[in-house]
């Protein structure tokens, strides 16, 4: 008992003898085959397990357009809204509804500002700002009826990433790497890349968006920087060889393991694993980030240049990470908050991502990875069909009752348009989908039953899909 810290003793005694016995059986592993998940996926809460097997997806690439891209200029054409441009927004749509920055303002219809064209076998209407995406529309499922609960940026990001507006919950990347482990031996299972375009103040993104929350911290996302050192303080100090560094890591891990044999603290196990992973990353990350190894035609297809830190470069890095076995890869492009300057800046943002997103799909298809990679393109919410003019040149306000996202790969029906909004694009009305539904569908494609995938926290069986209920969007699956 003299080796047992007060914190560890209290933690153990509050768990109860049954939980203590069970904990030894549930010791996390850093990596695992997708057919042999490291955890029983019920977290000891719901029972019955959560891994049903047969998942089409081995990994997820989530393309986040931070700030809330306007679906009305990109994905959801509204001729009626164009006809009413400048007219008062009918009160029947907005009366008693939550608005972000338009409360008390005169609400005027604001028609789509850019033309749409028809693409693909099914002649799907898509913005002319997205010609490369349009060329790949037969591989994409466009969901026009997505909704979310939050109406301001940070809580909306929290909700999209964690299924809750409450800070401190695990991100979906953490949930997935906790449940399935990682196939990467020398890289984190959950990696984050950020980029921004020129001209605007970047949309703030907090590291809590890829936090592991109440899950063990070894499952949190690791941000790789697109310029300079990919990971700060990763390199060995000057004068210290890689072999000397390895000997230090081995000695520290041995001391930590000895201490952990007495206190059985998950965070000590995390520390051991992260020291070892950091050591392995010293050799793996520099090679990974060196896209000069790619063929010139590959760089040209993505539209990126060596070391430019662009969204296009990050899409290429996402493919390289996927090849290395990283389970969850999340990209943030941080310039989509168009309360003003919508006409001026939306074309710039669309151009920065359009070619690269299409190239990522084509690249994965050529390498035989599209069939087991789930790609999601999403903001944190949509934009209003009413204009906003109180911040300069006209734009659109935040909106949570209608947004568009697209998904592709890993058992998703390509060429499908799922759901619809009303004639003015104010609210989803056909096949309404929620963030929880999207998460449930994602987990299903990974072979996980979202209802059984829980983790005991503060006496409750917490889960990514929340307590409100969620459905798998079966109609978008093959």
């Amino acid at each position: 008992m003299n080796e047992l810290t007060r914190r560890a003793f209290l933690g153990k005694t509050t768990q109860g003898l049954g939980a203590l016995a069970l904990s030894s059986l549930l010791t996390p592993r850093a990596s695992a085959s997708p057919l042999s998940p490291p955890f029983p996926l019920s977290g000891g809460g719901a029972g019955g397990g959560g891994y049903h097997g047969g998942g089409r997806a081995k990994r997820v690439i989530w393309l986040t357009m931070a700030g809330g891209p306007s679906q009305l200029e990109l994905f959801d054409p509204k001729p009626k809204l164009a006809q009413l441009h400048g007219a008062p927004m009918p009160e029947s749509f907005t009366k008693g509804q939550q608005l972000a920055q338009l409360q008390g303002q005169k609400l005027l219809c604001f028609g789509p500002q850019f033309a749409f064209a028809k693409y693909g076998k099914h002649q799907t209407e898509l913005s002319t700002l997205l010609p490369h995406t349009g060329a790949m529309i037969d591989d994409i499922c466009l969901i026009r009826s997505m909704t979310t609960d939050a109406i301001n940026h940070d809580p909306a990001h929290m909700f999209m990433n964690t299924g809750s507006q409450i800070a401190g919950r695990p991100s979906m990347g953490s949930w997935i790497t906790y449940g399935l482990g990682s196939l990467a031996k020398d890289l984190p299972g959950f990696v984050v890349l950020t980029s921004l375009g020129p001209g605007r103040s970047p949309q703030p993104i907090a590291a809590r968006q890829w936090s592991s929350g109440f899950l063990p911290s070894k499952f949190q996302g690791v941000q790789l920087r697109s310029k300079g050192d990919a990971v700060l303080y990763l390199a060995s100090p000057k004068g210290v060889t890689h072999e000397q560094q390895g000997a230090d890591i081995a000695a520290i891990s041995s001391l930590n393991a000895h201490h952990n044999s007495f206190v059985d603290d998950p965070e000590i196990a995390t520390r051991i694993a992260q020291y070892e992973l950091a050591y392995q990353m010293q050799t793996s990350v520099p090679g990974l980030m060196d896209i000069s190894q790619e063929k010139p035609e590959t760089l040209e297809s993505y539209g990126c240049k060596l070391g430019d830190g662009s969204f296009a470069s990050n899409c290429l890095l996402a493919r390289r990470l996927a090849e290395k076995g990283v389970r969850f890869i999340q990209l943030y492009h941080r310039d989509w908050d168009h309360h003003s300057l919508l006409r001026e800046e939306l074309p710039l943002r669309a151009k920065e991502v359009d070619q690269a997103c299409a190239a990522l799909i084509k690249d994965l298809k050529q390498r035989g990875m599209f069939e087991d990679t789930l790609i999601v393109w999403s903001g944190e919410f949509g934009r209003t069909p009413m204009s906003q003019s109180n911040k300069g040149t006209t734009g659109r306000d935040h909106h949570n009752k209608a947004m568009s996202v697209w998904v592709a790969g890993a058992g998703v029906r390509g060429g499908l348009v799922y759901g619809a909004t009303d004639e003015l694009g104010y609210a989803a009305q056909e096949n309404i989908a929620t963030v929880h539904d999207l998460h449930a569908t994602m987990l299903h494609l990974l072979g996980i039953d979202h209802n059984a995938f829980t983790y005991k926290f503060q006496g409750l069986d917490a889960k990514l899909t929340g307590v409100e209920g969620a459905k798998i969007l079966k109609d978008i699956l093959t």
Side-chain angles (χ1 to χ4, degrees):
M1 179 65 76
N2 59 337
E3 294 282 353
L4 192 62
T5 66
R6 179 175 179 273
R7 179 181 297 177
F9 174 75
L10 291 175
K12 287 176 179 289
T13 53
T14 55
Q15 289 172 17
L17 293 176
L20 287 174
L22 185 61
S23 67
S24 64
L25 301 176
L26 305 186
T27 303
R29 289 183 288 162
S31 62
S33 161
L35 299 180
S36 180
F39 307 99
L41 295 188
S42 64
Y51 189 78
H52 59 67
R56 298 284 295 274
K58 290 183 180 178
R59 67 194 69 85
V60 177
I61 300 176
W62 192 290
L63 308 172
T64 302
M65 307 297 122
S70 172
Q71 75 282 7
L72 296 164
E73 270 68 44
L74 298 176
F75 299 112
D76 198 5
K78 290 298 171 186
K80 184 66 174 179
L81 184 65
Q83 293 174 16
L84 294 177
H85 179 76
M89 184 75 180
E91 192 176 294
S92 58
F93 287 84
T94 61
K95 187 175 181 180
Q97 298 295 310
Q98 181 186 26
L99 300 173
Q101 299 182 16
L102 290 178
Q103 294 287 359
Q105 303 286 320
K106 188 175 182 180
L107 302 181
L108 301 177
C109 293
F110 191 50
Q113 298 297 292
F114 301 96
F116 280 69
K118 294 180 179 180
Y119 297 91
K121 292 186 299 184
H122 304 288
Q123 295 292 278
T124 301
E125 288 191 90
L126 207 65
S127 175
T128 53
L129 297 178
L130 300 172
H132 295 279
T133 305
M136 303 302 296
I137 196 66
D138 290 337
D139 294 302
I140 288 169
C141 173
L142 176 58
I143 302 174
R144 287 178 172 160
S145 55
M146 185 61 61
T147 63
T148 182
D149 287 4
I151 203 168
N152 287 309
H153 292 291
D154 193 70
H157 277 298
M158 291 301 303
F159 192 67
M160 184 63 74
N161 282 320
T162 74
S164 172
Q165 296 183 56
I166 302 171
R169 300 301 177 97
S171 64
M172 51 188 165
S174 296
W175 274 112
I176 288 168
T177 51
Y178 168 74
L180 296 180
S182 174
L183 298 173
K185 295 181 179 179
D186 52 6
L187 289 167
F190 176 17
V191 170
V192 176
L193 297 160
T194 66
S195 60
L196 53 93
R200 289 182 66 90
S201 298
Q203 185 66 35
I205 295 293
R208 62 178 171 272
Q209 301 299 342
W210 48 89
S211 166
S212 59
F214 48 71
L215 294 176
S217 57
K218 68 193 297 181
F219 301 107
Q220 68 186 12
V222 173
Q223 184 179 358
L224 297 185
R225 303 195 312 161
S226 303
K227 286 186 176 181
D229 290 339
V231 181
L232 295 176
Y233 315 117
L234 184 64
S236 298
K238 289 183 179 180
V240 177
T241 67
H242 192 61
E243 290 73 20
Q244 290 172 324
Q245 186 85 354
D248 289 344
I249 297 298
I252 293 169
S253 295
S254 177
L255 291 171
N256 280 331
H258 176 71
H259 183 57
N260 195 44
S261 67
F262 292 99
V263 300
D264 193 22
D265 184 347
E267 290 308 307
I268 295 178
T270 291
R271 198 174 305 135
I272 294 170
Q274 299 301 68
Y275 269 123
E276 293 173 350
L277 178 60
Y279 176 68
Q280 294 163 354
M281 288 170 62
Q282 287 181 334
T283 55
S284 64
V285 168
L288 170 75
M289 303 299 286
D290 182 12
I291 63 173
S292 65
Q293 303 170 25
E294 298 287 338
K295 296 178 180 179
E297 54 266 33
T298 301
L299 299 177
E300 184 178 355
S301 71
Y302 279 87
C304 61
K305 299 178 181 178
L306 297 177
D308 66 358
S310 65
F311 178 82
S313 290
N314 285 350
C315 281
L316 179 51
L317 286 172
R319 189 267 291 162
R320 292 168 67 88
L321 287 162
E323 283 184 309
K324 293 289 187 180
V326 175
R327 182 74 71 181
F328 196 97
I329 305 151
Q330 188 163 20
L331 275 58
Y332 285 89
H333 192 53
R334 300 172 53 191
D335 297 308
W336 295 86
D337 191 21
H338 295 123
H339 294 281
S340 61
L341 298 172
L342 179 71
R343 283 195 59 82
E344 294 82 357
E345 296 209 353
L346 185 63
L348 303 178
R349 304 292 82 84
K351 186 175 182 180
E352 288 164 3
V353 306
D354 177 43
Q355 180 178 341
C357 291
L360 177 61
I361 292 175
K362 287 186 284 188
D363 203 0
L364 290 171
K365 291 182 72 174
Q366 290 169 359
R367 294 167 188 273
M369 298 174 63
F370 184 67
E371 291 77 12
D372 56 16
T373 303
L374 177 63
I375 308 169
V376 183
W377 192 105
S378 174
E380 68 269 34
F381 45 51
R383 312 302 292 202
T384 58
M386 304 87 75
S387 61
Q388 181 174 6
S389 303
N390 58 354
K391 287 199 168 185
T393 307
T394 306
R396 298 187 187 275
D397 195 9
H398 311 165
H399 196 51
N400 62 354
K401 295 189 177 300
M403 61 185 294
S404 295
V405 307
W406 62 255
V407 292
V412 171
R413 289 176 58 188
L416 175 69
V417 175
Y418 181 82
T421 55
D422 58 56
E423 62 180 358
L424 298 186
Y426 186 83
Q429 65 176 193
E430 177 186 316
N431 290 328
I432 298 171
T434 70
V435 170
H436 291 316
D437 297 338
L438 183 60
H439 287 166
T441 305
M442 173 180 71
L443 293 175
H444 173 77
L445 287 169
L446 288 160
I448 298 172
D449 177 355
H450 72 95
N451 281 315
F453 187 23
T454 67
Y455 186 92
K456 185 71 74 176
F457 176 65
Q458 295 182 341
L460 301 175
D461 295 326
K463 56 184 179 178
L464 175 62
T465 52
V467 299
E468 300 91 338
K471 63 181 183 295
I472 297 167
L473 302 177
K474 293 182 179 179
D475 290 342
I476 76 170
L477 307 180
T478 57

